[in-house]
Amino acid sequence: MKTEAGNFLTMRQVLYHLYMSLFEEMQTAYGMTQMEINLLLYLANNPQFDTAAQLVKNGKLSKSQVSTAVVHLAQAGYLQRRIEGRRIHLQLMPAALAVVEEGRRRQSAFSEAVFQGISMEERDILNDLMARIVENARKAEEKLCEGDLLDDAYES
């Protein structure tokens, strides 16, 4: 019998594998890593988060991954770095538009595949449940850092 944790891990692995497989050809065609493609898509889809610090915080990415990707994308002409005071803002350049368009097409194909046969009402319920699960996981992560999470589990 699978546990909820096991179901989550299986779902994550299957979805991750499908998503990555959809982008393999694109990585080769553009000579980019998946991180670089994801970064361009994130900036295009979330223009309000245009600093490396925001990418790290909101995307749960490591500073070194973001830094490496930003340097490569800027050198390749996909990103421009604008300095405003102590902040460096990232701006997509025209060369990035084809990558973003192709990436969005592949993201849509992913969504269509995994939500096949699932109504919009069911998607709304799922999105609400996932948002609550993510919030619970964030709170649990804070408790874990404080050393309280396992204590709570033993008291239950």
Side-chain angles (χ1 to χ4, degrees):
M1 179 173 137
K2 272 196 167 183
T3 64
E4 287 148 342
N7 286 336
F8 275 118
L9 292 173
T10 299
M11 180 177 67
R12 184 213 172 272
Q13 289 171 331
V14 170
L15 293 175
Y16 180 80
H17 180 73
L18 173 62
Y19 189 84
M20 295 303 285
S21 296
L22 279 167
F23 282 87
E24 283 176 359
E25 182 181 294
M26 190 176 165
Q27 290 177 40
T28 303
Y30 287 99
M32 290 184 180
T33 65
Q34 186 63 47
M35 169 62 70
E36 292 164 350
I37 293 169
N38 289 347
L39 195 143
L40 292 177
L41 286 167
Y42 192 84
L43 287 170
N45 295 334
N46 304 280
Q48 71 276 24
F49 302 124
D50 69 344
T51 67
Q54 290 169 323
L55 290 169
V56 169
K57 180 182 176 189
N58 298 319
K60 291 285 188 182
L61 307 170
S62 75
K63 287 181 183 180
S64 64
Q65 288 176 313
V66 170
S67 178
T68 301
V70 166
V71 167
H72 182 259
L73 291 168
Q75 288 173 345
Y78 294 108
L79 278 183
Q80 180 180 23
R81 293 177 276 194
R82 288 183 295 107
I83 299 172
E84 290 183 12
R86 294 176 54 186
R87 292 185 180 216
I88 299 174
H89 294 272
L90 305 172
Q91 181 178 346
L92 294 177
M93 298 303 291
L97 298 181
V99 178
V100 169
E101 184 178 315
E102 180 64 19
R104 283 178 172 164
R105 189 176 73 77
R106 289 170 189 267
Q107 285 178 327
S108 292
F110 174 82
S111 293
E112 287 176 28
V114 299
F115 288 115
Q116 186 175 357
I118 299 174
S119 71
M120 289 307 293
E121 293 81 18
E122 291 170 319
R123 289 183 192 195
D124 289 342
I125 291 168
L126 178 61
N127 284 328
D128 180 55
L129 290 172
M130 286 191 305
R132 289 165 45 195
I133 289 168
V134 166
E135 182 59 27
N136 288 342
R138 285 187 174 136
K139 288 177 183 175
E141 191 174 33
E142 288 173 13
K143 281 186 166 189
L144 182 62
C145 290
E146 295 167 1
D148 296 337
L149 184 65
L150 293 176
D151 293 341
D152 289 352
Y154 288 125
E155 292 172 8
S156 299

